[in-house]
Amino acid sequence: MSAAARTPAKVTIHTLRKMKETGERITMLTAYDATFARLLNQAQVDILLVGDSSGMVVAGHPNTLPVTIEETIYHCRAVARGAQRAQVVGDMPFMSYQVSVEEGLRNAGRLVKEGGAEAVKLEGGAEYAELARKLTRIGIPVMGHIGLTPQSVHAMGGFKVQGRDAAGAKKILDDARALEEAGCYAIVLEGIPRNLAREVTEAVTIPTIGIGAGADCDGQVLVIYDLLGMNDTFRPKFVKRYDQLGVRIRTAVEEYVGEVKDGLFPTEEHSFSATAPPSENATPYGSLRATASAGASPDRPPAERERDNVIQHPACGWPKSIDDRS
């Protein structure tokens, strides 16, 4: 099988539009580093959003406002390294585009040029249609974001559901139409009533991706830390926890601390001998205890089977032979 045949097709703006046309639901999750990007990519997530939510779940801020363009570029670069199939979308941080169209163009260009993003997301409706239009014209795809826009948390009086009254609902619908007309390829609908999200989804031809907007959007997005249950104290109505990873991480670390304190780790199994291992592929770090990939059948060419016996170190890229046990 050729390398091209083994590599999944890259998700693009055209892929997403086709998914809406055929009724296939779109999946989007946040990612902030290469490891999570790799895992989510392997799980066939369609879009990885390098969100300014990093300010809250990574940096510990109470909201997203302190996040800078430099921080977002850093996280985008890391995520882009781990994403082969998924589309990578960079979030435009607060005050990276609100001052002027020119500044918005410059910072969006930095996310693509320096960060490796394949699209940018910006919060706001018709008031940013001109920026969205100009970005689209120069070849930078734009994902809109309306409804509850976290960068406007102070103006909204907190993280509150939007569009419950007639005027608010009309504005959201008008914003969606304005962003589509400006060239946005998708729109995030956050924190709005389900019936309004359905109305918006039916009114535009571009995909809608909901978070706290009900099941009638063309896709869904969650913050990966929320999906995995990494914060016991954060339990918003719109989040479903698919794991209790916070508890599992804490338990694993407590076990590690106990074994180190009691002298149970490391054992001989995790120590190096004075004699070098026989494998030619051995490295100073030895090898991971892993089996060859599922595709490593004896019928495959010898060169491909040999590559299955070498595992790349996730941080530095040093090859690790699975035969090196010493």
Side-chain angles (χ1 to χ4, degrees), residues 21 25 47 53 59 62 68 86 98 114 128 170 212 232 240-241 271 289 323:
E21 292 172 354
R25 297 299 177 94
I47 307 171
S53 50
T68 67
Q98 288 92 341
E114 301 174 40
Y128 296 111
K170 182 180 184 302
D232 293 339
K240 177 178 178 179
R241 294 187 172 193
S271 303
R289 284 193 175 277
D323 295 324

Side-chain angles (χ1 to χ4, degrees), residues 51-125:
D52 58 3
S53 50
S54 63
M56 301 177 73
V57 299
V58 176
H61 295 298
N63 53 53
T64 65
L65 301 183
V67 175
T68 67
I69 189 70
E70 285 76 18
E71 290 169 342
T72 305
I73 289 171
Y74 167 82
H75 288 295
C76 274
R77 280 202 303 263
V79 170
R81 295 185 191 108
Q84 294 180 317
R85 172 186 175 272
Q87 182 188 54
V88 178
V89 178
D91 224 346
M92 296 284 284
F94 180 59
M95 297 307 293
S96 68
Y97 63 97
Q98 288 92 341
V99 174
S100 67
V101 170
E102 290 71 24
E103 188 164 352
L105 291 170
R106 185 180 305 110
N107 285 321
R110 290 189 66 193
L111 284 180
V112 174
K113 189 178 181 69
E114 301 174 40
E118 296 154 349
V120 299
K121 181 176 77 63
L122 53 87
E123 295 182 13

Side-chain angles (χ1 to χ4, degrees), residues 25 189 192 197-198 201 208-211 213-220:
R25 297 299 177 94
L189 304 178
I192 66 175
R198 182 191 307 116
T201 300
T208 61
I209 301 173
I211 176 167
D216 300 305
C217 299
D218 297 306
Q220 297 293 325

Side-chain angles (χ1 to χ4, degrees), residues 80-315:
R81 295 185 191 108
Q84 294 180 317
R85 172 186 175 272
Q87 182 188 54
V88 178
V89 178
D91 224 346
M92 296 284 284
F94 180 59
M95 297 307 293
S96 68
Y97 63 97
Q98 288 92 341
V99 174
S100 67
V101 170
E102 290 71 24
E103 188 164 352
L105 291 170
R106 185 180 305 110
N107 285 321
R110 290 189 66 193
L111 284 180
V112 174
K113 189 178 181 69
E114 301 174 40
E118 296 154 349
V120 299
K121 181 176 77 63
L122 53 87
E123 295 182 13
E127 64 271 27
Y128 296 111
E130 181 185 359
L131 173 58
R133 185 176 292 108
K134 289 190 174 182
L135 285 170
T136 301
R137 283 177 181 170
I138 64 175
I140 298 179
V142 179
M143 177 181 288
H145 183 161
I146 57 178
L148 194 169
T149 48
Q151 292 176 13
S152 302
V153 59
H154 297 315
M156 292 179 174
F159 297 102
K160 298 180 178 180
V161 173
Q162 303 296 302
R164 279 180 162 157
D165 63 339
K170 182 180 184 302
K171 182 181 186 312
I172 289 171
L173 187 57
D174 289 345
D175 282 341
R177 287 170 171 151
L179 291 174
E180 178 182 26
E181 191 276 332
C184 288
Y185 74 94
I187 304 174
V188 171
L189 304 178
E190 179 169 0
I192 66 175
R194 177 176 179 174
N195 62 331
L196 176 57
R198 182 191 307 116
E199 185 177 358
V200 172
T201 300
E202 293 172 350
V204 297
T205 62
I206 58 177
T208 61
I209 301 173
I211 176 167
D216 300 305
C217 299
D218 297 306
Q220 297 293 325
V221 58
L222 285 175
V223 172
I224 185 61
Y225 286 27
D226 298 343
L227 178 153
L228 295 174
M230 295 181 71
N231 185 347
D232 293 339
T233 64
F234 186 65
R235 295 178 176 271
K237 178 180 175 64
F238 62 85
V239 170
K240 177 178 178 179
R241 294 187 172 193
Y242 288 82
D243 206 330
Q244 298 292 333
L245 201 56
V247 174
R248 295 174 60 187
I249 291 173
R250 201 161 53 240
T251 300
V253 173
E254 287 170 352
E255 184 177 357
Y256 161 77
V257 169
E259 289 195 357
V260 171
K261 296 288 188 182
D262 295 339
L264 301 176
F265 175 82
T267 64
E268 285 301 314
E269 178 185 357
H270 309 103
S271 303
F272 295 106
S273 63
T275 305
S279 173
E280 294 180 357
N281 292 323
T283 73
Y285 273 2
S287 68
L288 302 177
R289 284 193 175 277
T291 58
S293 65
S297 88
D299 297 328
R300 295 173 63 211
E304 289 191 11
R305 282 187 276 129
E306 176 61 24
R307 283 198 297 271
D308 288 331
N309 289 329
V310 178
I311 302 172
Q312 291 297 113
H313 188 284

